[in-house]
């Protein structure tokens, strides 16, 4: 039976991926900072799907949080064969107007945390005795620079390249590595990033937004199909394809106009 560790699992895409995996009889370890949300979700999953569902309260912007998750898996001797690095967030605004401490925390959870957690979990995945999977969550923002989301977009570009390289490194192992790059999704992302201060962004996003459960199903289907990259939604696929054929100056101007 599959046993998945999911970070950022209390809401949004992470929560929906947990529900999707549970519906396929996968046991779960959920990681987030909100005990109320995790406890409620774990109870719901156990009741609906009858699978084992544990959770770990951890602040993944800190080394202690990552250590706590790693120790939990080791001490419980859990046969984790799926790692989903979903935790992450964005900050909207110019670099100079955003507190550096906030920017550094975002860089930590968007880049360093998944790298360290993956490093720690690879030996566990190798010894699970099953086909193993790693899924890293990036964004369609990763494929071009995005003014006012400059550091966020760069951190997700890091995740795309990290995932591609890791996939090749682990090719001879029984571990498939996948990158999920969703576009605008019905989650708390825009609120957390501070975008609700801009009515024009909300209006533009409402025209292309996808539901989190739809994105989650795309993600889990693609992961089990061992796809290298998953971009849910045809509009998102087109926007990413444009970055390969249209001059960067143009795609980045379009991105800047959307998020200004």
């Amino acid at each position: 039976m599959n046993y998945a560790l999911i970070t950022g699992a209390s809401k949004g895409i992470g929560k929906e991926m947990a529900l999707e995996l549970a519906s396929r009889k996968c046991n779960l370890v959920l990681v987030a900072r909100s005990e109320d949300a995790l406890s409620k979700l774990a109870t719901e999953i156990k009741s609906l799907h009858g699978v084992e569902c544990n959770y770990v309260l951890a602040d993944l912007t800190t080394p202690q949080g990552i250590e706590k998750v790693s120790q939990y898996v080791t001490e419980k001797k859990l046969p984790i064969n799926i790692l989903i690095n979903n935790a992450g967030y964005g900050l909207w605004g110019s670099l100079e107007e955003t507190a550096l401490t906030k920017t550094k925390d975002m860089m930590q959870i968007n880049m360093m945390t998944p790298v360290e957690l993956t490093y720690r979990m690879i030996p566990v995945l190798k010894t699970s005795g099953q086909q193993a999977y790693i899924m890293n969550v990036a964004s369609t923002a990763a494929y071009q620079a995005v003014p006012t989301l400059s550091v966020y977009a760069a951190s997700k570009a890091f995740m795309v390249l990290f995932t591609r390289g890791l996939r090749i490194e682990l090719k001879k192992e029984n571990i498939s590595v996948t990158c999920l790059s969703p576009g605008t999704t019905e989650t708390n992302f825009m609120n957390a990033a501070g975008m609700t201060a801009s009515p024009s962004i909300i209006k533009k996003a409402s025209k292309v937004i996808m539901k989190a459960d739809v994105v989650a199903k795309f993600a889990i289907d693609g992961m089990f199909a061992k796809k290298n990259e998953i971009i849910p939604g045809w509009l998102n696929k087109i926007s990413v394809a444009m970055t390969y054929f249209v001059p960067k100056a143009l795609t980045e101007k379009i991105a800047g106009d959307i998020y200004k």
Side-chain angles (χ1 to χ4, degrees):
M1 180 179 286
N2 292 318
Y3 217 122
L5 172 66
I6 308 174
T7 67
S10 62
K11 54 192 168 184
I13 296 172
K15 175 183 176 180
E16 296 301 332
M17 286 195 288
L19 288 164
E20 180 65 27
L21 283 168
S23 73
R24 304 182 192 210
K25 299 303 178 185
C26 179
N27 293 315
L28 301 167
V29 177
L30 312 178
V31 182
R33 291 184 291 185
S34 172
E35 183 166 16
D36 288 345
L38 283 179
S39 177
K40 183 179 178 181
L41 179 58
T43 300
E44 178 185 353
I45 284 173
K46 290 174 186 176
S47 175
L48 284 175
H49 303 294
V51 297
E52 185 176 342
C53 186
N54 302 306
Y55 63 86
V56 183
L57 293 176
D59 181 356
L60 296 179
T61 62
T62 68
Q64 294 81 6
I66 301 169
E67 178 67 25
K68 186 176 180 181
V69 174
S70 180
Q71 280 188 349
Y72 181 88
V73 172
T74 301
E75 289 172 2
K76 298 289 185 180
K77 297 181 180 179
L78 299 176
I80 302 291
N81 73 308
I82 299 170
L83 170 63
I84 299 180
N85 288 307
N86 170 70
Y89 60 89
L91 292 172
W92 177 66
S94 68
L95 178 64
E96 67 174 335
E97 294 174 349
T98 304
L100 183 58
T101 53
K102 291 184 177 180
T103 298
K104 290 170 73 175
D105 281 348
M106 180 185 68
M107 293 171 69
Q108 170 68 40
I109 201 163
N110 286 4
M111 296 186 290
M112 295 304 298
T113 293
V115 169
E116 183 172 346
L117 194 55
T118 299
Y119 174 83
R120 290 170 175 262
M121 290 303 299
I122 285 175
V124 178
L125 297 173
K126 284 183 175 181
T127 58
S128 69
Q130 302 182 70
Q131 170 66 52
Y133 305 87
I134 297 171
M135 180 155 61
N136 294 324
V137 178
S139 166
T140 52
Y143 297 91
Q144 70 284 301
V146 183
T148 69
L149 285 171
S150 299
V151 180
Y152 171 76
S155 72
K156 291 305 183 179
F158 172 92
M159 286 303 290
V160 170
L161 295 183
F162 168 60
T163 306
R164 290 175 181 173
L166 190 65
R167 182 178 176 89
I168 296 170
E169 288 180 20
L170 297 176
K171 190 173 183 179
K172 294 181 180 179
E173 305 292 342
N174 202 29
I175 304 174
S176 174
V177 186
T178 296
C179 185
L180 170 67
S181 293
T184 305
T185 307
E186 201 172 78
T187 67
N188 192 49
F189 176 86
M190 287 189 288
N191 182 53
M195 292 181 190
T196 49
S198 172
S200 65
I201 291 178
I202 302 302
K203 183 178 179 180
K204 293 168 189 171
S206 67
K207 298 177 182 179
V208 296
I209 199 164
M210 293 184 70
K211 290 189 174 297
D213 60 337
V214 174
V215 172
K217 189 173 188 311
F218 267 106
I220 301 306
D221 284 344
M223 180 186 74
F224 283 135
K226 300 182 181 180
K227 290 188 177 180
N228 57 347
E229 292 183 30
I230 304 164
I231 301 172
W234 64 271
L235 279 175
N236 293 324
K237 287 183 173 67
I238 290 172
S239 71
V240 170
M242 282 177 60
T243 66
Y244 292 98
F245 301 106
V246 177
K248 290 291 185 186
L250 179 57
T251 60
E252 290 166 2
K253 181 182 183 305
I254 293 170
D257 288 343
I258 290 172
Y259 291 104
K260 68 182 179 182

